[in-house]
Amino acid sequence: MSTRSAGLDEAVTSLSAGVRHWIGQHAGYLDSPAGHAELPVTPRVKALLQLALLRRHWGYAAPDDPALAQVAAVVEQAWGRPDFPRLLTLDRRYARQFELMYAALAPAGTEADAPLAVLARLAADGYLAPRRKSPYLHLEARYHADLAGAEHRFASYRELYASSLPARAAALPVADVDVCVVTHTVFYLGDFGLRDPGLTEEERAEVLGVVERLTEHSVGLGEWDLVGKLLLAQFCLGADPLTTPSGAAGFRMLAEVQSPSGAIPGRSVVRRAPADATPVDFFRKSYQATLVTALATLIVTNGRRTGGLSTAGATTVRESR
């Protein structure tokens, strides 16, 4: 291993430890009396759903990490609140997406009645069928329905990939490609690195080329949150982002901007928390990018340690790809 590679390994290890420590120390704010009073409801609920996703993958990658216990306690407390299902529906634009995520990410030991009631209502409303969903929302719903163990009528993952943005993005200018749609499509196909995404070698190489171009572009723009997602997408497509030029640049950038507290101080260089930000403002600006970086570094470093994609805990796919 070269000195340069070893230095990057150490930087990523430190980066991961810092973001995990910050998340562990601050996640409780989301479901605290202060958080209830100071944070808008819908962004707070979304942040808790994201925290539950992080908890799931943290449990596979670093189950003995003390900070995981802190995060797990917050998720279990939120899912145990009788009013939490109601909060999911306050913004009608996201209500059914949030409800399906709530059922899919319920921690073990959660009282089963509430998630099951949510799934029954979604099925009765026709949300567990394709209807008029866009290809991306169709795939997102399929992924979370599978995770929840719900019966559904969604198309196969192969069909959903064929109609997705990544399947045609190689022909598009990089500035015209929606990074979030590309990366989350890869995440849902491959369960965030827990299973093979089911692409042919030609498809995988083509999508990886798109992701690497997007990573280089986003690093150049200082888009910290997007870079974290793209680093994880590279891994989910079978690459080692510590050894690709764009991936190494992305990890170096995140390590360089990390604050002494461990947080990534904003979604991007232009949306960075100012030096005089209040604790509440700093949390709101830093949470998303810090959580994404924690998720990416946990999955990538665990994958490098274990030799690649893990099948432990992978989503059960009941339908042919």
Side-chain angles (χ1 to χ4, degrees), residues 5-20 231 240-243 247-256 258 293-294 296-302 304:
S5 175
L8 183 57
D9 284 344
E10 293 169 0
V12 173
T13 298
S14 177
L15 171 67
S16 184
V19 290
R20 285 183 282 125
L231 295 171
D240 180 354
L242 272 77
T243 63
F251 275 124
R252 288 192 189 94
M253 181 182 70
L254 292 173
E256 288 169 1
Q258 186 175 31
T293 303
T297 56
L298 276 165
I299 293 172
V300 170
T301 55
N302 180 62
R304 297 181 90 229

Side-chain angles (χ1 to χ4, degrees), residues 64-124:
D64 298 324
D65 188 340
L68 171 59
Q70 297 171 293
V71 167
V74 175
V75 174
E76 290 162 7
Q77 175 179 289
W79 261 250
R81 289 189 179 277
D83 67 333
F84 192 54
R86 180 185 62 81
L87 300 181
L88 302 167
T89 65
L90 293 182
D91 190 325
R92 295 182 63 184
R93 294 173 298 171
Y94 309 115
R96 289 185 289 184
Q97 289 172 267
F98 282 6
E99 286 185 304
L100 188 52
M101 292 174 67
Y102 160 79
L105 297 169
T110 300
E111 174 59 45
D113 289 349
L116 288 176
V118 164
L119 291 174
R121 183 166 62 255
L122 291 174

Side-chain angles (χ1 to χ4, degrees), residues 17-285:
V19 290
R20 285 183 282 125
H21 175 77
W22 190 89
I23 290 287
Q25 290 293 306
H26 294 86
Y29 174 61
L30 289 170
D31 199 36
S32 68
H36 288 212
E38 296 167 347
L39 298 174
V41 174
T42 296
R44 184 172 66 83
V45 168
K46 181 179 179 181
L48 284 165
L49 293 169
Q50 293 170 326
L51 189 69
L53 176 69
L54 174 63
R55 174 195 184 274
R56 177 178 185 251
H57 292 277
W58 200 331
Y60 297 138
D64 298 324
D65 188 340
L68 171 59
Q70 297 171 293
V71 167
V74 175
V75 174
E76 290 162 7
Q77 175 179 289
W79 261 250
R81 289 189 179 277
D83 67 333
F84 192 54
R86 180 185 62 81
L87 300 181
L88 302 167
T89 65
L90 293 182
D91 190 325
R92 295 182 63 184
R93 294 173 298 171
Y94 309 115
R96 289 185 289 184
Q97 289 172 267
F98 282 6
E99 286 185 304
L100 188 52
M101 292 174 67
Y102 160 79
L105 297 169
T110 300
E111 174 59 45
D113 289 349
L116 288 176
V118 164
L119 291 174
R121 183 166 62 255
L122 291 174
D125 290 346
Y127 191 70
L128 301 184
R131 298 176 73 178
R132 297 181 181 177
K133 293 180 181 66
S134 67
Y136 173 71
L137 290 180
H138 189 160
L139 174 61
E140 178 189 73
R142 158 111 208 204
Y143 171 74
H144 287 114
D146 282 342
L147 207 59
E151 294 294 329
H152 60 73
R153 300 198 300 278
F154 297 130
S156 70
Y157 285 100
R158 284 297 311 168
E159 292 175 276
L160 292 169
Y161 169 73
S163 60
S164 72
L165 175 59
R168 63 181 189 279
L172 299 174
V174 68
D176 293 344
V177 179
D178 187 317
V179 172
C180 290
V181 172
V182 168
T183 55
H184 282 264
T185 296
V186 172
F187 299 157
Y188 297 145
L189 290 172
D191 195 8
F192 291 82
L194 288 176
R195 67 169 181 242
D196 187 284
L199 305 177
T200 67
E201 185 57 31
E202 181 179 357
E203 290 168 339
R204 186 200 66 80
E206 185 172 86
V207 179
L208 179 58
V210 170
V211 169
E212 288 181 325
R213 287 194 296 121
L214 288 170
T215 308
E216 182 179 7
H217 182 69
S218 297
V219 168
L221 295 175
E223 292 285 351
W224 305 332
D225 177 47
L226 297 183
V227 166
K229 294 177 182 179
L230 288 159
L231 295 171
L232 179 53
Q234 287 193 23
F235 173 78
C236 293
L237 291 165
D240 180 354
L242 272 77
T243 63
T244 65
S246 63
F251 275 124
R252 288 192 189 94
M253 181 182 70
L254 292 173
E256 288 169 1
V257 304
Q258 186 175 31
S259 70
S261 69
I264 305 300
R267 291 196 178 202
S268 68
V269 67
V270 299
R271 290 184 284 177
R272 182 174 192 148
D276 61 351
T278 66
V280 173
D281 286 341
F282 186 85
F283 179 90
R284 293 186 66 180
K285 287 185 176 295

